[in-house]
């Protein structure tokens, strides 16, 4: 089977069709030993295995094997997928054969009467031409063939449109994610700044409180110093008065007023 574009259901379709072919080989009463292996060959003008380990591998062979011993095979159905875009001719001979096969696929049709000599020079292509001549399309088959390619073209358009829509949606989603992420960062920055502002305000209130406490302490110390100074002057004045010093002498030494001295 040939496929222009890869779809996820293509493997399943190949397995289903190959299984039908395998089952239809025998009727009731026949022996299972009469069953022959069925090989499903798919030529795909697309890439479906994109991992690095498959970068240069265009030939993919699937079969029923033991999970722990890959060499243990159950014969029956095998599927082969060839990714044409990955195929690279290794030498001039391979390039020539590839070009001839491409000419065979594009130049030969039901109206072809004269076969180019270049195509007849390759044994396998010559054999394919003989098979093609023996199985020429009927009108009904040709109509079906044309409808098939109409469906392929419609499928190609639908796939391309879907890919564009998917890419557009993906781009919009990525842009939305970036906007959401930016808004999240801005909110986090705003919260951080708000937290820093509250911390600074708290520190300012604490410093103001400490400054008030220091001022209050200094005020009390000043009042205590004044009181101590006053008491010292009073004691000194009493002592001077006790030894017979005059009011004028006490006033001059202590700085007390005459009224304060006379009250002693």
């Amino acid at each position: 089977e040939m496929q222009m574009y890869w779809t996820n259901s293509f493997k399943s379709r190949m397995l289903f069709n190959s299984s039908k072919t395998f089952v239809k080989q025998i009727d009731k009463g026949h022996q299972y030993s009469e069953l022959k292996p069925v090989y499903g060959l798919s030529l795909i003008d697309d890439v479906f295995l994109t991992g690095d380990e498959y970068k240069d591998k265009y030939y993919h062979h699937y079969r029923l094997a033991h999970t722990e011993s890959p060499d243990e095979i159950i014969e029956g159905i095998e599927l082969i997928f060839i990714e044409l875009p990955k195929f690279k001719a290794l030498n001039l001979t391979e390039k020539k054969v590839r070009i001839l096969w491409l000419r065979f696929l594009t130049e030969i049709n039901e109206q072809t009467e004269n076969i180019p000599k270049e195509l007849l020079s390759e044994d396998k292509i010559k054999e394919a031409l003989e098979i093609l001549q023996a199985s020429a399309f009927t009108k009904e088959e040709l109509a079906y063939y044309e409808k098939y390619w109409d469906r392929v073209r419609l499928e190609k358009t639908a796939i391309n449109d879907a890919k564009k829509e998917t890419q557009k949606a993906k781009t919009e989603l990525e842009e939305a994610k970036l906007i959401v992420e930016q808004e999240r960062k801005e909110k986090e920055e705003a919260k951080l700044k708000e937290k820093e502002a509250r911390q600074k305000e708290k520190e300012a209130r604490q410093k103001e409180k400490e400054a008030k406490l220091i001022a209050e302490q200094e005020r009390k110390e000043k009042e205590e110093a004044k009181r101590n100074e006053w008491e010292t002057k009073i004691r000194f004045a009493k002592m001077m008065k006790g030894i017979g010093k005059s009011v004028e002498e006490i006033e001059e030494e202590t700085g007390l007023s005459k009224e304060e001295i006379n009250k002693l």
Side-chain angles (χ1 to χ4, degrees), residues 122-162:
E122 180 63 35
D123 291 341
K124 293 298 181 181
I125 296 179
K126 183 178 179 180
E127 181 181 352
L129 288 167
E130 293 173 354
I131 295 173
L132 183 63
Q133 290 175 346
S135 59
F137 288 143
T138 63
K139 290 183 179 180
E140 291 77 14
E141 290 172 338
L142 182 59
Y144 179 82
Y145 183 74
E146 291 174 348
K147 288 182 180 179
Y148 168 79
W149 282 109
D150 285 339
R151 289 198 302 271
V152 169
R153 284 188 286 271
L154 290 173
E155 181 181 351
K156 179 180 178 180
T157 301
I159 290 175
N160 286 336
D161 291 342

Side-chain angles (χ1 to χ4, degrees), residues 252-263:
E252 183 179 355
E253 290 293 335
T254 62
L256 297 174
S257 66
K258 290 180 179 180
E259 292 77 10
E260 292 172 333
I261 296 171
N262 290 328
K263 289 180 181 180

Side-chain angles (χ1 to χ4, degrees), residues 209-254:
K209 184 178 179 181
E210 292 173 353
K212 287 181 178 179
L213 289 174
I214 292 172
E216 179 64 19
Q217 182 65 26
E218 290 176 349
R219 185 187 64 78
K220 288 181 180 180
E221 289 176 353
K222 286 180 180 180
E223 289 180 355
E224 182 68 22
K226 286 182 179 180
R227 186 166 56 252
N228 291 336
E229 183 182 2
W230 171 259
E231 290 176 352
T232 300
K233 287 181 179 181
I234 294 297
R235 285 196 303 271
F236 187 66
K238 286 181 178 180
M239 182 186 70
M240 291 180 70
K241 191 174 182 181
I243 61 175
K245 292 290 184 179
S246 66
V247 173
E248 288 75 16
E249 289 176 334
I250 296 173
E251 180 181 10
E252 183 179 355
E253 290 293 335
T254 62

